[in-house]
Amino acid sequence: MSAQRTGVLGGTFDPIHYGHLFIADAVRAHAKLDRILFLPVGDPAHRPVHSSAADRLEMVRLAIAGNDAFDVDTTALEQPGPVYTADTLALLRRKLPGDELSFIAGVDSLTVSRWRRLDEVAAALSRFYVVRREGVRAEDLAAIIGDLPAELRERFEVLDLPLVDISASVIRERVQAGLPIRYLAPDPVVHLIDRRGLYR
Ligand code: ATP
C-alpha cells in the first residue's frame, strides 16, 4: 500500500465505545488523515485489563466494520508486555515505513499517568492530537510536555471537540450492576459482551 497519513489510536479498548469512535473520526476529519489505526494494547504498562486480548481485538473489529477509513493493527497486542508506546511506534514504523504517523489520545491518558519516553514518542510522530475529556483539566498538559524541547512540544495540538462522557470503566461497572449499556457502544460490541458474559 502507498504511504498514507495515518492516525494511531492506542488503548486497552476494554471495551471499545462511542467515545473512541467519535474522537477517531473527528480527528481524522480535522487533520485530513487517510485512515485511523486502532491499536489495542496487550499488556499495558500501568493498568490491569478486564477481558482477554482476543475479546478486545474482536470488539474493535466489530466496532470499526463499515468504516473504510478505520483499521486495526495488532502490533501492540503482540508486544511482550509491559507495553510502552515508544516501542510500539518503533515497531509500527518498520511495518509502515513511508506513512506519516500521528497519535490520538485523550488528555487523561497523558495527565493521569506520566508517559515514559514521551520525547521518543513525540519524535516518532508528525503530530500528537490531544482530545479533552470530561473532568480532566487540559491545562495540566502544559506541565507534562513543558520539559520537551520546543520542536517536539509544537507537535502537540489540543482539539476542542464535543465531550463524550463515556468510558470503558463506566461500561464495565454498568454491566456488573446489570444495567443497560446499549447506545454507549455499537450494538455488535454490546451483543458480544452479553454473549460471552464479559465484565460480570
Ligand atoms: P477506562 O475507563 O478503562 O480507563 P477508556 O474509556 O479511557 O478506558 P482506553 O481504551 O483506555 O478507554 O482509551 C484509549 C484512548 O481513548 C485514551 O487516550 C483515552 O483517553 C481516549 N478516550 C477514551 N474514551 C474517550 C472519550 N469518551 N472521549 C475522549 N477520549 C477518550
Side-chain angles (χ1 to χ4, degrees):
M1 197 181 280
S2 60
Q4 304 200 69
R5 287 168 54 78
T6 298
V8 176
L9 177 57
T12 46
F13 303 118
D14 196 15
I16 190 166
H17 52 70
Y18 279 128
H20 300 125
L21 295 167
F22 172 70
I23 64 169
D25 190 52
V27 174
R28 187 198 54 72
H30 167 84
K32 301 187 174 56
L33 302 175
D34 297 311
R35 61 164 175 171
I36 303 293
L37 271 187
F38 289 75
L39 254 77
V41 179
D43 181 8
H46 40 254
R47 49 190 296 194
V49 285
H50 306 271
S51 61
S52 71
D55 283 335
R56 292 183 291 114
L57 175 62
E58 194 169 342
M59 290 190 278
V60 171
R61 289 215 161 101
L62 290 169
I64 66 175
N67 187 330
D68 290 343
F70 285 179
D71 223 330
V72 61
D73 181 279
T74 56
T75 300
L77 274 183
E78 288 151 11
Q79 274 175 268
V83 172
Y84 293 100
T85 302
D87 298 323
T88 309
L89 287 174
L91 293 167
L92 202 59
R93 171 51 70 213
R94 276 191 242 153
K95 274 195 195 173
L96 309 168
D99 278 28
E100 192 185 309
L101 297 178
S102 305
F103 205 83
I104 303 162
V107 67
D108 59 297
S109 72
L110 282 153
T111 58
V112 172
S113 51
R114 279 233 158 196
W115 283 36
R116 286 213 210 157
R117 295 149 64 201
L118 186 59
D119 52 340
E120 265 180 70
V121 170
L125 299 168
S126 62
R127 300 291 279 166
F128 194 125
Y129 297 102
V130 180
V131 177
R132 292 183 313 121
R133 226 167 154 189
E134 189 68 45
V136 185
R137 285 160 33 96
E139 296 74 37
D140 293 345
L141 182 66
I144 284 162
I145 65 172
D147 295 339
L148 298 177
E151 81 266 17
L152 295 183
R153 248 183 358 246
E154 282 158 11
R155 298 185 186 183
F156 289 77
E157 178 178 345
V158 180
L159 295 193
D160 195 15
L161 298 174
L163 295 177
V164 178
D165 193 10
I166 302 175
S167 66
S169 348
V170 158
I171 293 181
R172 295 193 302 271
E173 283 161 22
R174 289 183 65 85
V175 171
Q176 201 159 35
L179 296 168
I181 57 164
R182 194 171 182 198
Y183 307 120
L184 296 177
D187 279 348
V189 172
V190 173
H191 293 150
L192 186 137
I193 290 171
D194 195 33
R195 252 194 346 268
R196 303 230 169 123
L198 304 182
Y199 310 126
R200 281 186 203 153

